[in-house]
Structure formats: C-alpha cells, structure tokens
Amino acid sequence: MGSRSSHAAVIPDVDSIRRETGFSQASLIRLHHRFRALDRNKKGYLSRIDLQQIGALAVNPLGDRIIESFLPNGSQQVDFPGFVRVLAHFRPVEDEDTDLDPKKPEPLNSRRNKLHYAFQLYDLDRDGKISRHEMLQVLRLMVGVQVTEEQLENIADRTVQEADEDGDGAVSFLEFTKSLEKMDVEQKMSIRILK
Amino acid sequence: MWGLRARGPGGGLLLALVLGGLLWTGGVEVEPGGAHGESQGFQVVTFEWAHVQDPYVIALWVLVASLAKIGFHLSHKVTSVVPESALLIVLGLVLGGIVWAADHIASFTLTPTVFFFYLLPPIVLDAGYFMPNRLFFGNLGTILLYAVVGTVWNAATTGLSLYGVFLSGLMGDLQIGLLDFLLFGSLIAAVDPVAVLAVFEEVHVNEVLFIIVFGESLLNDAVTVVLYNVFESFVSLGGDNVTGVDCVKGIVSFFVVSLGGTLVGVIFAFLLSLVTRFTKHVRIIEPGFVFVISYLSYLTSEMLSLSAILAITFCGICCQKYVKANISEQSATTVRYTMKMLASGAETIIFMFLGISAVNPFIWTWNTAFVLLTLVFISVYRAIGVVLQTWLLNRYRMVQLEPIDQVVLSYGGLRGAVAFALVVLLDGEKVKEKNLFVSTTIIVVFFTVIFQGLTIKPLVQWLKVKRSEHREPRLNEKLHGRAFDHILSAIEDISGQIGHNYLRDKWSHFDRKFLSRVLMRRSAQKSRDQILNVFHELNLKDAISYVAEGERRGSLAFIRSPSTDNMVNVDFTPRSSTVEASVSYLLRENVSAVCLDMQSLQQRRRSIRDTEDMVTHHTLQQYLYKPRQEYKHLYSRHELTPTEDEKQDREIFHRTMRKRLESFKSAKLGLNQKKAAKMYKRERAQKRRNSSIPNGKLPTEIPVQNFTIKEKDLELSDTEEPPNYDEMSGGIEFLAGVTKDTASDSPAGIDNPVFSPDEALDRSLLARVPPWLSPGETVVPSQRARTQIPLSPGTFRRLTPFRLSSKSVDSFLQADGPEERAPAAKPESTHM
C-alpha cells in the first residue's frame, strides 16, 4: 500500500503530463511504476510485446485492439506520456472537470473523448466511419463461436442500420454518439482507481 | 459424539412422522425397543432401534435438511427474495415446534462440540481452498484491520455500553458484572463467516467488497477466540483478582493464538502438498488426503488452543495451488465437489439447527432492554467502526471504499452460529445470566440473518442502481456497452489496478525457485504454465486434424503443396487433451463436417434472413462474451460454475494467440493482410460449424519416431536444468521471445519451427518432443493413422512443437544424443 520509493521527480515532464491528463501526482507515480514494470528491458518505452505480455489481455476479446490503441499510427512503441494519455480517457469525471474553461482544451476524460476512444477501436481504417465490415470484425471478436457467420452478418447489418441516420451504410462518430446517448458513458468508461 | 441427543425410539418415531415417508418404522409401535426382548428362541426378524439410533437420527436429519433445500428451490420466487439461511432457520423453528409438541423436551440442539468439530471445519476449509488468493492477499491489510481492530472495537464498545446502561438501572436487577458484559460483547462482536457467506453469495457485490467482508469474517476468529478465552478466565477469576499481568498475557496470547494458528495451517499445507506429490499410484485416495490433513490442521491447532479456523483457512489457502497441480484431474473434481457438498450440507444443518435450538423454553430469559439495546449497539457500533476504519484506510488504499461500500460493510456484519455455539459453551455456574445471554444471542442471530439478510439485497440494489427506466436496450447499446466493459477491464489490467506488484513478483519468484520445486510434481511443474497447456492443446489439434484430413482425402498429398494460401483448415469438436489409442477412429465421424461450402451457406443466409429478426437480440444477449468483472466469480459455497468462464477464456485466448501468430506470420512470410483476413474468415466459418477453434496452419512434415512416450519416461529422464527466469516478469513470454528473436534476425533462437524459415530447420528441431507429449500424456495414434502418414523425409517439421521451455530434457533428447539447444524464452504463469 502507498507509494513506494519512486518519486515524481523520476518522471520527465511531470507537470505538463499532469496538466494534460489531469491525473493526480500519486496516480502518476503509480502509473509510472507500472509503466516501468511493463517495460522489461528498461528501454524507456513500451513495445507491443511488452503489452502483449499482460496475460489477462490474451483472454480479452478486444485485448489486441486495445494494445493497438496504445501504439498510434503504426508506431511500435509508446512512451510514458503516450501511455498515460490513453489511460487518461478512463479517469472518472469529477466535479471540477465539469465547469469547463472554454479556453482550455476539452479534458481527455470527457464524454466525447471517451466515446471517441471507443470509436477508434472500431474504426480500423481511420476514415471516421464504422463500416459494416468493421462492425462485423468487432462482432466476430466479441461473440462466442456458437453464433453462425450468417447470424453475425445479420447482427452487423442491423447494428449499422439502427445507428445509421444518413443512409450511407456506415456509422459516423456523430451517429455513434447518438446511438449511445442514453447510456451513462461517463460511468461506464471510468475506472475509479485512475484519479 | 453427535450432539443431537435423540431420546430413544420416541425421537425416532417422531422423525418418521415428520418425514412422513418411512412408514415401516411404524413397526416400533408393535415392539418398541424390541432389541432386547425376551429370548424366545431364534427370532427371524429383530427390531434393533437402539442399535442404530444415533447414526439413524443423524442421517434422517441430514435427509430432512436436504429435502428442505429441494423444497425451497421449487419456488424460484421465494429463494430469489429470501436467503436460504433465513428459510432454514424458519424451517428449524417449525420442526423444533413439532418436536417440542410431541416431546416436550428440546431433544435436538446444536451443541458446541458438533458445531466446532464437525460442522464448522468443512465450511472454513471450503472457504480457504477456494479462496481467490490474489484478491485476498491484495486486500490483506484492510481485512486484517477490520478483523482485528474492528472486532476489538465492536466487543469493547458493545460490552461497555451495555454495562453503562445496566448501571443506569434500565435493565432491572441482573447478577452481572463488567466482565460478564465484556465477555458477552466479545462473543457477539464477531462477524460470522457462515452467515456472511450464506447471505453475500446471493447479493452480488463487487469483488473487493466481498473479499473484505468474507476475509474479515474468517480472520476475526482469532480475535474472538482470544477475547472470549481471556474474559471467560477473568470472569472465573473474579473481577478483583485480575491484574495487569493478566491483561498483558491476554494481549500476548492474541499474537500467539493468531500467528500460531496460521503457522499450523501453513505447516499442514506444506505437508499436504508434499504428500500429494507422491500419490501417483494411489489416485483413488488422493482426495482423502486433502480432507484428512486439513482436518488434522484444525484439530491440531484446537489441541494447542490456537485459532483453529485460522489454521484450516490458511491450510486451504496455501495448499490450493500445489494440490491442484499435483492431483489428477478426476481427483481435483472429486475434491471440489466433495468440499462443496460437505460445506453446503454443514451450512444447511447449522441453520436448521439454529432454528430448532431456539425452541426451548428453558433457555429463554427475556429482558427487553438488554435485547433491544444489544441489537442497537451492535448495529450502531459496527457502522461507526466501519466508517472510522475506512476513513483511515482510504488514505492508503488504492481502490477507495466509497460510502456505499461502507453501508454494505456495516450492514453485512451478520452474526451467526459461532456466536451461538460460544454462548452455549458458557459455564452457567460462573456466568449467572447465561440464559439471558443465550436468548439475546439467538435474537441477534435471527435478526441479522433473517432481517438483514432479507433486506440487504434490496438495499444494495437500491443504493447502486440508478436506473429509472427499464427498457430493452438497442443493439448498439448492447454491443457497445459490452465492448466498453471489455475495454475497461483491459485498461484495468494495463494500468495494473491492484498494487503489491512488487511483493507479488518477489513471492512468485520465490515460489518458482523453491516452493514449487519441492511441492509439485515434475510433470506438473512443467505443465503448470497455462499458456503451455493451451499451446499443447492447439498443437494436439493440429496433429489430429492433420491425420484426419489425410484420412479424408485418402492421401496426404495436400500437405506437400507449399503455397501458403493453400492452407487446409481442418477442425474438430473439442475433446479432452488425453487422446488415447485410436485418434483417427474417434474422429472419423466428424470428417464430413470438415468439408465446408461457403456457397450453400450464403444461400441459406438469404432465405432465413427475415426470421433472424427476432433472434438477433437474443443471440447477442446470450453469446456476447461476458466481461471479466461479471464472470470472475469469487467464491460460492453452492455452485461450481467456472467451467463456462474457463471455456470462454480459452476460446478468446485461442483466437488472440492465433491472430497474433497470424499477424506475425504475415509479417514474417510476407503474407499480405488480405489473405490473412480471408483465411481468418474461412477459419471462422469452419470454426462455428464445429464450434471449436481450428488451427491456422497445417503441418507439412511429420516427426517419425516415438509417438509413444510414457509419462514415466518423462518423469524419470527429467533432469531439469535450473530454469532461468530472471528476465521474466510474467505474461505471455513465448511470443515475445519469438518475435524478439526474429526481429533481431537470429532465427536460431526460435524454438517453434513454424516461425523458422525452412532452411533454418535442422535436425535439432526434430529432436524436440512433440507438444502433445510434453506434459506427460500418452498419445498413441491408431495403426491406421500411423500407416497412412507418409513418413516423408525431413518429416513433420511444422508439427514439431512450440518448444517453449528449454528446461525440460526428456527422452527424445536423450535418445538423440546431445543437441544444441538455443536458449529460448521461458514461459511463465500468466498471473491471470
């Protein structure tokens, strides 16, 4: 319990990271510790392999996609700021976050950004739309093998149709947001330990 | 020995009436107690009731309790609202009433001897053996604080407050002193493991909260025992004779009792693990060792007047890993089910007899003020204690305990049979108001189990869920909602939610280096790695599918085609990893399913399109993978359901690994992504037909010799180089090793030939043991299979195993002489 020997001073650019992500000092220290634990060769960055070694991700249907999301734009590594930037999406929304300063950029843990993070897990080709094919791919990952391929395609069709408002056969981010407007995304996409 | 004091044939008769079924016992009326009738020559049939009386009555009671359970579950509505423990108590009251009406004597009561020697140990052992260890040790600090400080606080405040009220004269005239109050406080303070589990199992709270309440209820036993013993001896000494030295002794005894109990448990766990290592030839009695040795730990610490509950809990906690690895699968299943059966049965009997014991006018002494105030004080002080301790804890805890959690923690402080047994144990000579204590305890137990047990579920629901509208969520919400759950759990894993990683790493290092080596079978040490097992199975499937495909085609010509996109995916229904004798024979019936036809599938799809409409929602609901939080099921005394989850885990794991391999291969072999996707699609189409996971790739070559390797050989020739784990810290190592090696263009380090460019394959690879043999199983393909596989030179290279570990040197290597072995990444447990 409590933080161990690591200090905030070890983390480079700790202040700017804090400002960007909104993490508390203690959380950052902890995450940095975690980061170094994952970084097995003390490279200073995490490679895909480092992340793939987290055993529980192998049994998570979206595990590999999430690993992908840590490695933006095809790069093979993520440094500490990048690491916490992704995690910052999952910081719980607190009261002080809500009174938004219009001058400041939207915090990473806003509803919009949380949704956008999820959206880009679906949108593999980064064209701003979830196509039927992309939806199908996610479904394949998330549904047990008992479901037949035709059922899956059917479900994918339906899901796209349900959310698709402009009839282009794909789900844009706006449509994605709308289809989930009744959902408590702030709560569902937050981890309380990430304060 | 059994404390259910049946009173002669009368009791038995009554039971028969209660049961209503065993009509033949009506014979008692004809000749009651006829066992020792006058000897008028040889009797063809004698009635020997007295002879069988005790065990008979016991068996009948167990039967009644079990039948009652069936009865409760006939109505799902009732059991979903009322906890079973409450129902059992009520049933006990009714049965007790009947017994009383017939007999006018409380014939059957729950005696401390029975409770502590026979009913409690199975429950606690079960709790320990199935303890979610990681969660438990992750929260050990919190649990200890609640168990030790919390219990002392409860005992002291309750006792003192009651004494204060007594001094004010509200309770009337009682022969009672401060020490008696403290004694009562100490026995009523402890949260009861039996009651807590019975209720919390049905209330689905989050895992951290659960483990805290559960852990507290188990560990507070030491405190209870010490406080109880200390105050009891103080009471018998008389208040004036208690000196400061005695108090110090009391505190010292706390440490001795708790640490000693734990130590006894750990020692017996060590013994048990060690014994199970050598039971290979007596598989049938393996499960017996688990129970006997654990029970001995309980008795031993009882004998040494240490905390028996702690001993058996820690015996279970510590041995689980090694025992599970050592004993055979069947024995493990036996242990699981027997343990659940005993625990569940014991619990049922406890609650029923709590009810029955209450029907006894001789123990009832009513004192409204005392009873009510006790109820108020234990609830209020529990709440205050929880809030204070949580406030302290939250400054150090990573996962904060929110106000809602605190409410559940306070409200979940159920009292139960331990308190009852302890109060019955009191000496009526020394404690003048014993009956008052007994009746108050009964009231408290009934109140907490029935009232709080009934209300805690609605309370939790009311506090947690804000949902006002209840509507069928749309597809998008359902799908994305589930995706969010998965994302969240992945992020939790990445951010390493529970701390203690450092300590855990150190411990698992120590465990690997020393403990596992001593306590685990060699074969178990080798195969304990989950990933190894999965790959073992994957490869086994590869091999099987290879053979079967060959049979189907009548030749193995297909494997000679080297082109990568001409891979044959054959698939089979999942079967256990022990494939014996005739693989091909077993599989022949599946062969027809292997052939697939995308065309016909598509046609069918169009035609049934409309009907799918309704089932879509249903399908999603049913088959979406559950997020970890939902299924990671903690501990249940009544159910053994993790198989479903394991299946899911395995399924996803297979897919993930397959995909990672696929993407690796495509990168390596220049196979473009489109092809990979196409392959995947095909694979998937086959997969769902057979609902199992296909192998992505078929072997091209076959290792010829040694299809049969006996486990014994493996064991004997297991010379085991010291594994070098240093650079490992958990996770999926093999891929790491493989990819790393290739990245640096040194294929020599690659153990899995699938990854090797063909020219890199040399003889050394052939020498490796096929994976389906490595964890010590015997695979003997049928004669036919053997003859049909062309023994092509160069042989099955593709089939050669994912040699993940370099630590095992088995008969293959020995047979083939010294080989150069490239150091390979060693896998390690996944810490899942």
Side-chain angles (χ1 to χ4, degrees):
Chain A
M1 287 188 190
S3 57
R4 284 172 291 268
S5 57
S6 50
H7 291 289
V10 186
I11 312 170
D13 290 338
V14 66
D15 287 330
S16 65
I17 295 176
R18 267 186 72 182
R19 240 172 293 129
E20 189 186 354
T21 61
F23 279 124
S24 69
Q25 183 101 341
S27 292
L28 276 182
I29 291 174
R30 198 170 56 73
L31 288 175
H32 192 243
H33 197 88
R34 175 69 177 163
F35 181 83
R36 282 185 305 172
L38 290 175
D39 173 17
R40 295 188 318 142
N41 315 341
K42 307 277 168 271
K43 304 181 289 293
Y45 61 86
L46 296 184
S47 63
R48 181 187 308 271
I49 296 152
D50 288 327
L51 289 169
Q52 281 179 340
Q53 272 152 14
I54 301 167
L57 288 188
V59 294
N60 191 317
L62 298 179
D64 279 355
R65 296 240 173 162
I66 284 149
I67 290 176
E68 229 34 75
S69 75
F70 276 88
L71 309 165
N73 309 324
S75 81
Q76 292 300 311
Q77 57 195 58
V78 55
D79 56 3
F80 184 66
F83 180 72
V84 280
R85 207 172 293 129
V86 177
L87 294 179
H89 289 102
F90 297 90
R91 193 164 63 83
V93 181
E94 283 159 27
D95 295 337
E96 63 243 45
D97 292 330
T98 49
D99 46 280
L100 274 178
D101 187 352
K103 272 170 275 169
K104 268 202 240 166
E106 206 176 338
L108 283 169
N109 63 344
S110 69
R111 180 188 175 95
R112 204 187 108 84
N113 277 330
K114 280 178 198 292
L115 281 173
H116 196 260
Y117 177 82
F119 184 80
Q120 47 101 12
L121 288 185
Y122 289 78
D123 182 20
L124 286 186
D125 58 8
R126 305 246 185 277
D127 65 347
K129 280 180 176 149
I130 304 175
S131 65
R132 176 183 170 281
H133 180 66
E134 283 164 342
M135 189 69 85
L136 189 58
Q137 281 180 314
V138 173
L139 268 171
R140 281 206 194 103
L141 293 175
M142 287 186 32
V143 178
V145 286
Q146 300 92 333
V147 182
T148 62
E149 183 73 15
E150 61 257 46
Q151 277 174 315
L152 274 184
E153 293 187 13
N154 194 345
I155 295 170
D157 283 343
R158 261 160 211 299
T159 318
V160 172
Q161 274 164 26
E162 193 186 271
D164 183 19
E165 289 182 339
D166 53 11
D168 65 348
V171 184
S172 67
F173 181 58
L174 198 67
E175 288 161 348
F176 184 75
T177 320
K178 274 205 172 149
S179 72
L180 296 174
E181 62 189 355
K182 294 235 174 73
M183 190 187 272
D184 189 2
V185 178
E186 286 90 342
Q187 191 223 323
K188 261 206 125 155
M189 289 279 279
S190 296
I191 302 174
R192 60 180 176 175
I193 54 167
L194 292 176
K195 279 204 169 149
Chain B
M1 92 197 173
W2 195 272
L4 318 175
R5 291 182 295 261
R7 289 179 55 262
L13 249 187
L14 182 88
L15 263 178
L17 287 175
V18 170
L19 283 169
L22 296 139
L23 293 173
W24 61 268
T25 41
V28 185
E29 283 168 32
V30 183
E31 197 178 19
H36 304 290
E38 304 124 65
S39 53
Q40 295 174 336
F42 178 75
Q43 282 177 300
V44 179
V45 177
T46 54
F47 189 82
E48 311 225 17
W49 167 250
H51 186 55
V52 295
Q53 179 183 337
D54 284 349
Y56 206 94
V57 170
I58 293 163
L60 284 181
W61 274 121
V62 173
L63 181 65
V64 172
S66 313
L67 287 176
K69 263 188 120 138
I70 299 179
F72 296 154
H73 285 280
L74 285 181
S75 162
H76 188 69
K77 232 186 218 158
V78 176
T79 42
S80 65
V81 178
V82 189
E84 215 178 79
S85 44
L87 284 172
L88 281 166
I89 288 186
V90 173
L91 173 80
L93 285 173
V94 173
L95 289 182
I98 296 173
V99 174
W100 179 261
D103 238 10
H104 286 288
I105 282 190
S107 323
F108 308 96
T109 52
L110 185 66
T111 63
T113 330
V114 177
F115 176 72
F116 283 120
F117 279 169
Y118 306 107
L119 295 178
L120 192 56
I123 293 179
V124 183
L125 174 63
D126 177 67
Y129 190 74
F130 293 101
M131 177 71 75
N133 272 353
R134 188 171 165 176
L135 204 56
F136 178 74
F137 287 108
N139 292 289
L140 190 61
T142 310
I143 293 171
L144 279 177
L145 185 75
Y146 280 121
V148 177
V149 179
T151 308
V152 172
W153 158 268
N154 283 348
T157 49
T158 309
L160 290 175
S161 304
L162 282 173
Y163 183 63
V165 176
F166 167 71
L167 287 183
S168 76
L170 205 63
M171 288 176 194
D173 196 19
L174 292 173
Q175 289 182 306
I176 212 165
L178 172 62
L179 285 174
D180 299 75
F181 276 113
L182 285 175
L183 175 59
F184 178 68
S186 68
L187 66 86
I188 205 81
V191 175
D192 183 73
V194 186
V196 161
L197 274 179
V199 168
F200 268 70
E201 212 169 282
E202 298 172 28
V203 187
H204 301 286
V205 296
N206 69 63
E207 48 185 35
V208 175
L209 196 53
F210 178 88
I211 201 71
I212 290 174
V213 183
F214 181 30
E216 179 201 340
S217 67
L218 281 174
L219 298 195
N220 65 17
D221 173 66
V223 185
T224 313
V225 167
V226 172
L227 285 180
Y228 180 84
N229 287 339
V230 165
F231 287 120
E232 203 194 18
S233 60
F234 283 3
V235 167
S236 41
L237 274 175
D240 306 329
N241 306 328
V242 177
T243 60
V245 180
D246 291 324
C247 296
V248 174
K249 272 190 198 158
I251 294 170
V252 171
S253 89
F254 163 72
F255 287 102
V256 173
V257 165
S258 54
L259 296 180
T262 309
L263 189 70
V264 169
V266 173
I267 290 172
F268 274 88
F270 187 85
L271 260 175
L272 173 54
S273 309
L274 204 61
V275 168
T276 53
R277 199 184 153 169
F278 302 103
T279 48
K280 198 166 93 193
H281 301 292
V282 284
R283 290 283 191 210
I284 213 82
I285 60 164
E286 244 172 14
F289 285 116
V290 177
F291 294 98
V292 170
I293 296 183
S294 319
Y295 191 49
L296 276 178
S297 78
Y298 185 89
L299 294 179
T300 308
S301 72
E302 190 72 45
M303 179 176 75
L304 301 171
S305 70
L306 303 171
S307 166
I309 291 187
L310 276 185
I312 198 166
T313 306
F314 275 94
C315 182
I317 287 178
C318 297
C319 78
Q320 52 172 261
K321 177 180 172 186
Y322 308 105
V323 167
K324 280 172 190 165
N326 282 340
I327 61 181
S328 72
E329 209 169 297
Q330 286 91 335
S331 304
T333 312
T334 311
V335 169
R336 281 214 310 270
Y337 277 93
T338 315
M339 220 171 252
K340 290 290 171 204
M341 188 193 77
L342 289 177
S344 190
E347 182 198 279
T348 309
I349 293 172
I350 287 173
F351 281 115
M352 197 173 77
F353 273 90
L354 268 182
I356 293 176
S357 310
V359 187
N360 182 2
F362 299 121
I363 59 165
W364 282 97
T365 313
W366 190 260
N367 184 324
T368 315
F370 188 78
V371 171
L372 287 184
L373 282 173
T374 307
L375 277 178
V376 171
F377 285 147
I378 61 162
S379 315
V380 170
Y381 287 124
R382 164 102 187 149
I384 294 175
V386 165
V387 171
L388 287 179
Q389 291 171 77
T390 313
W391 174 79
L392 189 72
L393 281 168
N394 270 348
R395 307 174 59 169
Y396 301 101
R397 277 184 67 87
M398 195 128 57
V399 182
Q400 300 280 300
L401 293 166
E402 311 281 327
I404 290 173
D405 300 338
Q406 296 175 31
V407 172
V408 177
L409 271 176
S410 321
Y411 207 71
L414 306 178
R415 275 45 169 198
V418 172
F420 177 78
L422 285 177
V423 81
V424 171
L425 264 184
L426 288 178
D427 185 350
E429 295 292 305
K430 294 176 199 153
V431 185
K432 298 287 188 295
E433 298 288 349
K434 178 185 170 185
N435 279 348
L436 177 61
F437 287 173
V438 172
S439 27
T440 311
T441 307
I442 291 177
I443 297 285
V444 167
V445 171
F446 285 12
F447 177 82
T448 55
V449 171
I450 296 178
F451 180 74
Q452 291 185 199
L454 258 173
T455 46
I456 194 166
K457 210 166 167 183
L459 184 80
V460 167
Q461 275 164 1
W462 178 69
L463 282 173
K464 259 212 181 117
V465 184
K466 292 169 254 165
R467 67 172 162 213
S468 47
E469 47 176 343
H470 190 78
R471 65 198 167 84
E472 179 75 359
R474 298 166 67 199
L475 266 183
N476 272 286
E477 289 171 311
K478 206 175 255 175
L479 177 64
H480 303 321
R482 192 54 67 84
F484 291 168
D485 292 338
H486 288 307
I487 294 170
L488 216 61
S489 67
I491 294 291
E492 271 181 19
D493 294 326
I494 290 175
S495 62
Q497 75 278 36
I498 301 175
H500 316 285
N501 288 317
Y502 176 76
L503 271 181
R504 193 164 53 229
D505 286 350
K506 281 270 173 260
W507 169 256
S508 59
H509 182 74
F510 171 73
D511 176 54
R512 251 193 329 263
K513 268 220 136 113
F514 305 103
L515 277 182
S516 291
R517 291 234 204 133
V518 180
L519 297 178
M520 273 194 201
R521 281 180 199 189
R522 290 219 172 106
S523 56
Q525 287 173 36
K526 244 187 287 172
S527 65
R528 89 199 112 122
D529 194 284
Q530 201 190 350
I531 290 169
L532 256 183
N533 286 340
V534 172
F535 263 78
H536 162 71
E537 259 169 54
L538 273 179
N539 282 310
L540 192 64
K541 272 193 196 136
D542 278 7
I544 294 168
S545 59
Y546 174 77
V547 172
E549 183 68 10
E551 281 195 345
R552 193 174 69 82
R553 298 196 176 197
S555 88
L556 288 174
F558 68 98
I559 47 160
R560 300 227 175 87
S561 150
S563 98
T564 34
D565 55 347
N566 190 22
M567 289 176 193
V568 188
N569 295 297
V570 197
D571 208 315
F572 301 94
T573 47
R575 56 187 67 247
S576 83
S577 54
T578 36
V579 177
E580 265 153 358
S582 169
V583 173
S584 58
Y585 175 73
L586 282 170
L587 289 171
R588 212 165 303 143
E589 59 205 67
N590 295 320
V591 165
S592 62
V594 167
C595 164
L596 86 159
D597 187 351
M598 281 303 281
Q599 219 81 50
S600 68
L601 282 182
Q602 259 158 17
Q603 276 163 6
R604 213 170 73 218
R605 188 180 75 224
R606 290 191 215 304
S607 65
I608 57 174
R609 185 98 191 222
D610 296 335
T611 53
E612 291 263 304
D613 211 74
M614 282 153 65
V615 293
T616 307
H617 270 276
H618 178 72
T619 314
L620 263 190
Q621 184 69 31
Q622 202 173 351
Y623 292 118
L624 273 178
Y625 286 130
K626 292 197 198 71
R628 196 191 50 195
Q629 283 93 339
E630 249 173 66
Y631 74 73
K632 201 151 240 172
H633 136 131
L634 299 163
Y635 168 87
S636 163
R637 194 175 298 141
H638 304 291
E639 271 152 51
L640 280 167
T641 51
T643 45
E644 192 66 18
D645 307 327
E646 279 165 20
K647 221 175 92 198
Q648 173 183 327
D649 270 0
R650 179 158 304 197
E651 211 172 286
I652 303 173
F653 184 78
H654 274 81
R655 283 189 187 183
T656 311
M657 286 305 133
R658 180 98 36 216
K659 237 169 33 220
R660 287 184 189 172
L661 287 181
E662 227 40 85
S663 73
F664 173 77
K665 262 188 271 180
S666 61
K668 180 74 197 159
L669 303 173
L671 183 69
N672 70 39
Q673 287 294 342
K674 244 184 210 152
K675 264 185 199 158
K678 225 164 71 192
M679 253 164 44
Y680 179 68
K681 205 166 171 182
R682 244 169 55 194
E683 212 171 75
R684 164 113 200 160
Q686 280 175 325
K687 175 166 60 186
R688 59 165 171 67
R689 292 185 73 181
N690 299 308
S691 79
S692 91
I693 291 82
N695 47 295
K697 188 148 183 145
L698 261 193
T700 49
E701 291 152 89
I702 310 169
V704 196
Q705 76 284 61
N706 289 1
F707 264 102
T708 45
I709 292 197
K710 295 273 181 286
E711 183 183 1
K712 206 161 67 179
D713 298 339
L714 287 172
E715 277 271 341
L716 291 177
S717 58
D718 186 14
T719 51
E720 259 191 294
E721 297 148 17
N724 164 26
Y725 285 112
D726 289 339
E727 78 266 43
M728 311 300 162
S729 67
I732 302 155
E733 304 285 344
F734 59 94
L735 272 182
V738 168
T739 20
K740 229 185 292 164
D741 281 335
T742 340
S744 59
D745 266 328
S746 60
I750 300 173
D751 259 350
N752 181 357
V754 173
F755 297 115
S756 318
D758 278 355
E759 60 271 17
L761 293 169
D762 58 19
R763 249 183 59 76
S764 72
L765 288 165
L766 303 178
R768 308 278 158 79
V769 178
W772 58 88
L773 294 174
S774 53
E777 278 152 12
T778 313
V779 183
V780 189
S782 68
Q783 274 302 314
R784 185 168 162 207
R786 268 194 268 187
T787 49
Q788 284 212 346
I789 298 169
L791 306 177
S792 54
T795 62
F796 268 145
R797 268 181 222 154
R798 284 274 149 74
L799 240 169
T800 38
F802 291 92
R803 283 303 305 169
L804 300 172
S805 160
S806 64
K807 70 181 177 200
S808 60
V809 179
D810 27 44
S811 49
F812 256 121
L813 276 184
Q814 303 221 323
D816 282 26
E819 295 285 346
E820 284 195 0
R821 298 169 59 92
K826 276 138 307 235
E828 193 179 303
S829 72
T830 49
H831 296 305
M832 272 190 273

